[in-house]
Amino acid sequence: MSPLLDVRGLTVTYKTSGGDIPAVRGVDLSVAPGEKVGIAGESGCGKSTLALALLRLLPANAALGGEILFDGDDVLKMSFGQLRAVRWAGASVVFQGAMHALNPVRRVEEQIAEPILVHGGDRRTARVKAAELLDDVGLGAGKGRAYPHELSGGQKQRVMIAMALACTPKLIVADEPTTALDVMIQAQILRLIGGLVADRGISLLMISHDLSVLAGTCDRLAVMYAGRVVEQGPAGEVFTDGKHPYSRALAAAFPRIGDDDARRNPQGLPGDPPDPADLPTGCAFHPRCPVAVPICPDVDPQLWSAAPGRDAACVHVKEN
């Protein structure tokens, strides 16, 4: 089956007065129809830039290279009219931080109806559809008359999900959809997203810094570091048996409730991801890597086969 989304050699470079900043550096990624794919990594690894690049939602100083094939058509070569037809109807986005994505002076039912109207629907159809979607996300049609400030964080996120579903897209891109929510509401939102995309046969690309969230939600997982994918494979396997030391560090940082060892000896990595404007030589992860060897500053590893269906960019994988 041909991929619904096929990203090939994607690069994103921000042009600034201080020089070029490479935020995404040659990413290959695919999402099949009905598939759920996760992208994990710390803040600053290029996840959100990648998500926004898929529908060309980046600022004017972002230069894009490579290919983004959606249903066989290259998003990077589309005219504005073609791109407008794809947004919401072909692919939609659940943005991080719903309060910043919703218009504070418009009722939520109007905001859910807006993409339907933009794509040719009439007002009555849009109003009925908005009410149905509010029911689908567990809010009820009565909440449509509310303004965003009258809703809780979890309720606002549900509105964003309803907006993303308004034009029956083939793909939903969820960028950190639960970051600002408490643990209980986060679990509800994840179940809601998973259920809705499964019921409708929609593909999902979910972005998070939390590997455990993605492992429990997605079929496949890609781990990003310093603008590149450093490991990819089945989500459960990447979480429990990471082939790249960065993947293992992300998984180890997940707290185990009730485990005294985890409480007394919290895991994690020292330091932060590198500044994209000042990347280390060789493997970008080597300054923080607990298993770095002398050749790591000199070798820029590519994604090599680490196991059936698994790839990782690490010299230890190549050696084996």
Side-chain angles (χ1 to χ4, degrees), residues 77-212:
K77 295 180 179 178
M78 289 181 180
S79 66
F80 178 74
Q82 292 171 318
L83 187 59
R84 189 181 188 192
V86 170
R87 291 172 176 168
W88 294 112
S92 59
V93 183
V94 178
F95 293 102
Q96 180 178 355
M99 190 63 220
H100 303 295
L102 296 173
N103 188 330
V105 298
R106 297 185 64 195
R107 300 183 192 275
V108 296
E109 64 182 5
E110 298 170 357
Q111 300 187 57
I112 297 171
E114 182 177 9
I116 302 172
L117 296 172
V118 168
H119 286 275
D122 60 76
R123 292 193 175 278
R124 183 180 182 282
T125 300
R127 186 169 62 252
V128 171
K129 181 69 171 177
E132 292 174 351
L133 287 167
L134 285 168
D135 279 333
D136 289 345
V137 299
L139 284 179
K143 287 293 185 182
R145 300 297 295 167
Y147 290 96
H149 72 271
E150 298 176 305
L151 302 177
S152 69
Q155 290 173 329
K156 285 193 281 283
Q157 203 64 53
R158 289 171 186 264
V159 171
M160 281 297 306
I161 295 168
M163 290 175 65
L165 295 169
C167 294
T168 318
K170 296 179 181 179
L171 170 69
I172 289 179
V173 180
D175 183 13
E176 300 272 13
T178 60
T179 295
L181 306 177
D182 64 62
V183 174
M184 294 298 293
I185 301 301
Q186 172 179 285
Q188 294 174 17
I189 295 298
L190 291 172
R191 283 197 299 269
L192 175 64
I193 293 174
L196 289 170
V197 297
D199 291 345
R200 289 164 166 79
I202 297 171
S203 298
L204 174 68
L205 184 65
M206 180 177 285
I207 294 166
S208 177
H209 61 275
D210 190 332
L211 207 63
S212 64

Side-chain angles (χ1 to χ4, degrees), residues 187-257:
Q188 294 174 17
I189 295 298
L190 291 172
R191 283 197 299 269
L192 175 64
I193 293 174
L196 289 170
V197 297
D199 291 345
R200 289 164 166 79
I202 297 171
S203 298
L204 174 68
L205 184 65
M206 180 177 285
I207 294 166
S208 177
H209 61 275
D210 190 332
L211 207 63
S212 64
V213 163
L214 297 176
T217 305
C218 299
D219 305 312
R220 285 195 301 114
L221 183 58
V223 178
M224 286 188 70
Y225 188 80
R228 284 187 175 172
V229 173
V230 297
E231 182 169 354
Q232 58 186 4
E237 294 180 19
V238 174
F239 180 53
T240 59
D241 182 29
K243 301 301 184 184
H244 194 283
Y246 182 60
S247 303
R248 294 195 292 270
L250 288 179
F254 178 63
R256 299 184 299 278
I257 305 301

Side-chain angles (χ1 to χ4, degrees), residues 240-307:
T240 59
D241 182 29
K243 301 301 184 184
H244 194 283
Y246 182 60
S247 303
R248 294 195 292 270
L250 288 179
F254 178 63
R256 299 184 299 278
I257 305 301
D259 187 323
D260 281 346
D261 287 341
R263 180 171 63 85
R264 298 175 186 279
N265 301 290
Q267 301 297 307
L269 278 172
D272 299 296
D275 183 344
D278 186 25
L279 292 170
T281 61
C283 174
F285 184 59
H286 84 261
R288 305 173 71 196
C289 182
V291 294
V293 292
I295 65 170
C296 291
D298 302 317
V299 176
D300 190 5
Q302 305 303 303
L303 282 170
W304 293 308
S305 177

Side-chain angles (χ1 to χ4, degrees), residues 6-119:
D6 193 7
V7 178
R8 302 177 181 175
L10 178 65
T11 62
V12 180
T13 303
Y14 291 107
K15 305 291 185 179
T16 73
S17 57
D20 293 350
I21 299 176
V24 175
R25 305 184 296 133
V27 166
D28 296 323
L29 183 74
S30 65
V31 182
E35 187 180 28
K36 295 175 286 187
V37 176
I39 301 178
E42 295 169 281
S43 296
C45 287
K47 308 184 305 297
S48 293
T49 292
L50 171 62
L52 296 176
L54 298 179
L55 290 175
R56 282 170 44 190
L57 297 172
L58 292 169
N61 70 325
L64 283 73
E67 294 180 307
I68 302 173
L69 302 179
F70 182 77
D71 245 357
D73 296 320
D74 193 346
V75 172
L76 300 185
K77 295 180 179 178
M78 289 181 180
S79 66
F80 178 74
Q82 292 171 318
L83 187 59
R84 189 181 188 192
V86 170
R87 291 172 176 168
W88 294 112
S92 59
V93 183
V94 178
F95 293 102
Q96 180 178 355
M99 190 63 220
H100 303 295
L102 296 173
N103 188 330
V105 298
R106 297 185 64 195
R107 300 183 192 275
V108 296
E109 64 182 5
E110 298 170 357
Q111 300 187 57
I112 297 171
E114 182 177 9
I116 302 172
L117 296 172
V118 168
H119 286 275

